[in-house]
Amino acid sequence: MFRIALKMLFGDRGKYLGIITGIALSSILMIQQPGILISIFTTMYSFITDIGLPDVWVMDPKVQFIDDSKPLLDTQLYRVRGVKGVEWAVPLYKGSQRVRMDNGETVGCNMLGLDDASLIGGPAIMIQGKLADLHQPDAVIVDEAGAKGRLAKPSSTPGGKSTPLQVGDSLEINDKRAVVVGIARATKTFQSQPIIYTTYTRAKNFALSERKLLSYILVKAKANESPQAVARRITKETGMAARTADEFKSMSLWYIIENTSIITNFGFVVLVGFIVGAAVTGQIFYNFTLDNLRYFGVFKAMGATDRMLRWMILLQALLVGGVGFGIGAGLVATFAAATRDSSDLTLKLNWQLLTGSGLAVLLIVLLAALISVRKVLKLEPAEVFK
Amino acid sequence: MSENETMAVYCGGITKSYGIGEARVQALRGIDLEVHPGELLMLVGPSGCGKTTLISVIAGILDQDDGECVLFGQDLKQLSHNQRVVYRGRNIGFVFQAFNLIPTLSAAENVAIPLLINGMPMDKAISRAFECLRNVGLEGRENALPSQLSGGQQQRVAIARALVHNPRLVVCDEPTSALDHETGRRVMDVIKNLAVNSDRALVIVTHDARIFDFADRIAHMDDGRIEKVERNN
């Protein structure tokens, strides 16, 4: 009877396509918006993710999230190095600098000053050049999105196409010359500013006007020490805040969530997607059942049990749910793949999001099936003679 | 073996009403009726006389208020809901006035439905459905959708569906009312030739006097009662 149930469904092509479309649109809303939200969240702590080597980040106790760095005195680095359980500790400068372009415009950039000796905190993926090239005079490495986008060399003719930065090109940062020695791939930041990597010492030169320049101290715990324990010890002995990378990510994320209405706004759209999906799908599916009510009555008269009818309707609901969700998720995934390399905000899909939206669609079709099943089970088989 | 067990249908003192209070309608007022195996009984009478209610009770798809309805020795009221559903699926075939063929299924798939309900695998059920459609003269039309068939052909598909699982009782509700005279008689020929045998009984509700001559007996109903039962000569 399951094949019969499916043929009944496919045979009513208009309603079948209507239900599928409703579920697909609902799925798109429920996947795409959280996908963008995940992408935004990822960018909020992308610096922490990209700098994967250290276990613990040490910072001013007043820091609330990654972009809220409050400079420390350089001497704090030596205090941290003296804490038991610290394998190594290196400085990290993170600040904003302005780059003057050839046409006179200035572009705000994120500058990362890495430990001169180890270059810890440098980009993991180099598109052009090598990380070690930062040891060359005036060297900087620029992220790929920035090199192709806001730091691209403007055209000499008005309206002309700009040329991406290349290795060997020079930049002017705070009236100081910098030479591009590499192009790196980095996760986009929340502010979508270009990222410039250089050494800690050179970063201090680029930012001479600032008195204190040490943004973070990156710490590696010894092999036999837990990062959490080392972080607690650093806090206790130095008075500075020390957090594991995961704690710092979580703190940055919660700061944004608590201080913006981002979750409310995205959540509202997701809720609308769910309600629209449930309403449209439920209504069309219920209408489909009503249209076939006479035939379900015939099945009942002919000896179809309630269990059999329940499964027939459930199968129809699960099938339209599966196909609709597949189409919706497929379209969003295609869109995500097509815009993956865009410099704008992209869409990130993960298994948690797909599972969650899949369960929401399952709930929608189960609700639709439940309403339909109730109608069919309450139907008197004697109705078929009327 | 009691007399009830040798009969195809035994109805004794059946009453049935719909609604409550002033809206209460007494559809059946003490029906006594017997149908024997191998017999074609027609229930005739004016609209609203209770024919459809009686056939619904006989077919086990409607509970009577009072009285006894026994099919081949089985009192349907003694069965649980599920047992009655299963009993119906195995022992009763239905032919409806409006055919009630599923529009999105082919003729063969429509005919196969009672077999599928009884758990037969699809391929076997379809094979048996082809055979039944051949018997009702629809060879070559097995894959046609109901909309591609004439009214007479659709009713023959419905007859094949009613007989495909070899039920012991076939109930037909106005099987010819949607057909012209000639087609109606051809359909009755098919019913009479294929459905009636010594192990099976047919109960046909009709007010189409043109087909009365196919009946073995005719039960005349009026106002919820059987006025008379006459043997057809």
Side-chain angles (χ1 to χ4, degrees):
Chain A
M1 286 302 283
F2 292 154
R3 272 175 66 176
I4 297 293
L6 295 184
K7 289 202 88 168
M8 285 170 74
L9 180 68
F10 298 145
D12 194 344
R13 211 161 284 177
K15 285 214 169 53
Y16 174 64
L17 292 178
I19 302 169
I20 297 287
T21 306
I23 294 176
L25 288 176
S26 177
S27 303
I28 287 171
L29 282 175
M30 287 193 290
I31 298 170
Q32 195 253 3
Q33 290 295 308
I36 291 176
L37 191 61
I38 289 172
S39 178
I40 291 172
F41 283 166
T42 308
T43 63
M44 283 172 190
Y45 50 73
S46 58
F47 270 126
I48 310 169
T49 308
D50 285 357
I51 302 174
L53 205 51
D55 298 321
V56 177
W57 289 61
V58 183
M59 63 203 80
D60 186 280
K62 295 229 164 48
V63 168
Q64 299 184 84
F65 63 104
I66 180 67
D67 289 327
D68 180 41
S69 61
K70 296 187 172 28
L72 306 163
L73 287 169
D74 278 358
T75 51
Q76 299 286 27
L77 175 64
Y78 304 109
R79 294 183 67 201
V80 171
R81 280 177 177 164
V83 174
K84 183 178 165 243
V86 172
E87 175 78 35
W88 49 253
V90 294
L92 179 76
Y93 167 79
K94 182 179 181 303
S96 290
Q97 297 299 333
R98 302 198 76 78
V99 174
R100 180 177 292 277
M101 307 296 289
D102 288 349
N103 60 1
E105 287 180 6
T106 57
V107 176
C109 296
N110 267 305
M111 178 172 279
L112 288 183
L114 316 176
D115 176 50
D116 290 43
S118 64
L119 299 179
I120 286 170
I125 303 169
M126 295 296 296
I127 310 294
Q128 292 178 33
K130 301 190 298 290
L131 183 60
D133 292 340
L134 277 183
H135 292 302
Q136 293 173 21
D138 302 330
V140 293
I141 291 171
V142 177
D143 79 305
E144 187 185 19
K148 287 179 178 172
R150 296 168 74 177
L151 288 179
K153 288 182 288 185
S155 170
S156 52
T157 56
K161 205 174 170 188
S162 54
T163 313
L165 272 185
Q166 300 286 331
V167 169
D169 288 336
S170 59
L171 297 170
E172 189 185 309
I173 307 171
N174 274 354
D175 295 330
K176 293 181 183 62
R177 180 176 176 270
V179 177
V180 178
V181 295
I183 306 291
R185 180 161 295 160
T187 310
K188 284 181 204 69
T189 63
F190 185 49
Q191 297 154 324
S192 292
Q193 287 184 327
I195 304 168
I196 295 175
Y197 299 90
T198 189
T199 59
Y200 185 73
T201 307
R202 201 170 297 126
K204 291 205 293 191
N205 283 332
F206 285 127
L208 265 183
S209 57
E210 297 175 40
R211 191 172 66 86
K212 295 192 285 185
L213 289 161
L214 180 59
S215 309
Y216 296 102
I217 299 168
L218 307 180
V219 173
K220 183 75 179 173
K222 284 185 174 166
N224 56 348
E225 294 273 0
S226 85
Q228 287 85 355
V230 172
R232 301 298 94 87
R233 209 173 292 144
I234 291 170
T235 300
K236 191 177 173 190
E237 292 184 18
T238 67
M240 289 184 285
R243 297 184 173 91
T244 65
D246 285 342
E247 286 169 353
F248 195 26
K249 281 183 194 176
S250 177
M251 189 181 90
S252 298
L253 188 60
W254 279 107
Y255 176 82
I256 301 295
I257 290 172
E258 285 170 1
N259 290 279
T260 66
S261 57
I262 194 165
I263 289 285
T264 312
N265 287 317
F266 277 89
F268 178 72
V269 175
V270 172
L271 185 67
V272 166
F274 180 83
I275 291 170
V276 168
V280 171
T281 307
Q283 182 65 39
I284 301 177
F285 193 78
Y286 184 61
N287 280 346
F288 166 77
T289 306
L290 283 186
D291 288 351
N292 285 288
L293 204 56
R294 181 166 196 85
Y295 306 118
F296 282 116
V298 171
F299 294 155
K300 285 184 99 165
M302 287 179 173
T305 58
D306 289 350
R307 188 166 176 265
M308 188 182 283
L309 294 170
R310 260 197 297 265
W311 277 108
M312 284 175 76
I313 293 171
L314 192 61
L315 177 71
Q316 290 172 335
L318 289 176
L319 185 111
V320 292
V323 173
F325 179 71
I327 291 171
L331 286 174
V332 177
T334 306
F335 178 74
T339 57
R340 192 173 44 196
D341 295 327
S342 160
S343 60
D344 299 324
L345 199 58
T346 54
L347 193 63
K348 270 198 190 323
L349 301 180
N350 57 26
W351 69 266
Q352 292 95 334
L353 172 59
L354 291 174
T355 305
S357 50
L359 288 175
V361 168
L362 182 65
L363 184 63
I364 288 173
V365 296
L366 288 180
L367 282 173
L370 182 70
I371 298 166
S372 297
V373 164
R374 269 174 58 90
K375 186 77 183 172
V376 169
L377 295 188
K378 282 172 77 175
L379 175 72
E380 284 290 337
E383 295 285 320
V384 293
F385 281 137
K386 289 184 178 167
Chain B
M1 190 180 285
S2 73
E3 198 181 340
N4 284 359
E5 289 171 9
T6 61
M7 272 185 271
V9 180
Y10 167 76
C11 296
I14 289 182
T15 62
K16 176 70 186 175
S17 61
Y18 298 106
I20 51 171
E22 289 187 6
R24 183 183 168 93
V25 175
Q26 192 70 37
L28 300 178
R29 300 169 185 270
I31 296 286
D32 296 315
L33 183 69
E34 295 166 4
V35 187
H36 302 279
E39 187 178 37
L40 192 163
L41 177 96
M42 282 187 186
L43 286 172
V44 303
S47 292
C49 70
K51 306 188 293 287
T52 300
T53 301
L54 179 57
I55 203 176
S56 298
V57 171
I58 289 173
I61 56 177
L62 187 67
D63 283 337
Q64 69 270 30
D65 295 338
D66 206 0
E68 192 182 15
C69 181
V70 180
L71 301 189
F72 296 97
Q74 178 65 61
D75 184 349
L76 296 185
K77 271 215 155 174
Q78 301 297 319
L79 299 176
S80 69
H81 172 75
N82 275 345
Q83 285 172 327
R84 199 186 314 178
V85 169
V86 172
Y87 184 89
R88 228 163 41 215
R90 289 185 183 151
N91 296 292
I92 301 173
F94 293 86
V95 177
F96 305 101
Q97 179 179 4
F99 319 137
N100 282 342
L101 301 176
I102 317 297
T104 53
L105 303 183
S106 69
E109 287 164 341
N110 267 292
V111 172
I113 286 171
L115 299 173
L116 297 172
I117 287 173
N118 283 309
M120 187 180 278
M122 188 72 164
D123 51 347
K124 278 189 183 171
I126 290 291
S127 169
R128 173 89 182 101
F130 267 61
E131 199 181 305
C132 275
L133 285 168
R134 241 190 339 268
N135 292 340
V136 296
L138 286 176
E139 194 170 5
R141 304 293 285 153
E142 295 90 347
N143 294 316
L145 293 173
S147 59
Q148 296 166 327
L149 300 172
S150 67
Q153 287 174 324
Q154 288 187 54
Q155 195 58 300
R156 278 190 278 162
V157 173
I159 292 165
R161 183 175 65 180
L163 300 176
V164 69
H165 55 308
N166 205 20
R168 299 174 77 186
L169 174 69
V170 176
V171 292
C172 310
D173 182 37
E174 306 279 8
T176 59
S177 67
L179 307 173
D180 61 61
H181 176 63
E182 197 178 327
T183 310
R185 288 196 68 83
R186 275 209 298 270
V187 163
M188 281 309 300
D189 274 333
V190 172
I191 291 176
K192 180 93 180 172
N193 293 333
L194 293 178
V196 180
N197 65 40
S198 58
D199 296 326
R200 182 185 294 145
L202 261 86
V203 180
I204 297 177
V205 164
T206 186
H207 59 255
D208 185 355
R210 298 169 303 181
I211 62 165
F212 284 177
D213 54 316
F214 286 92
D216 296 316
R217 282 191 304 147
I218 299 174
H220 293 266
M221 286 188 72
D222 196 11
D223 197 23
R225 293 188 182 85
I226 290 182
E227 297 289 315
K228 61 176 177 179
V229 179
E230 60 184 8
R231 187 160 290 282
N232 216 4
N233 295 318

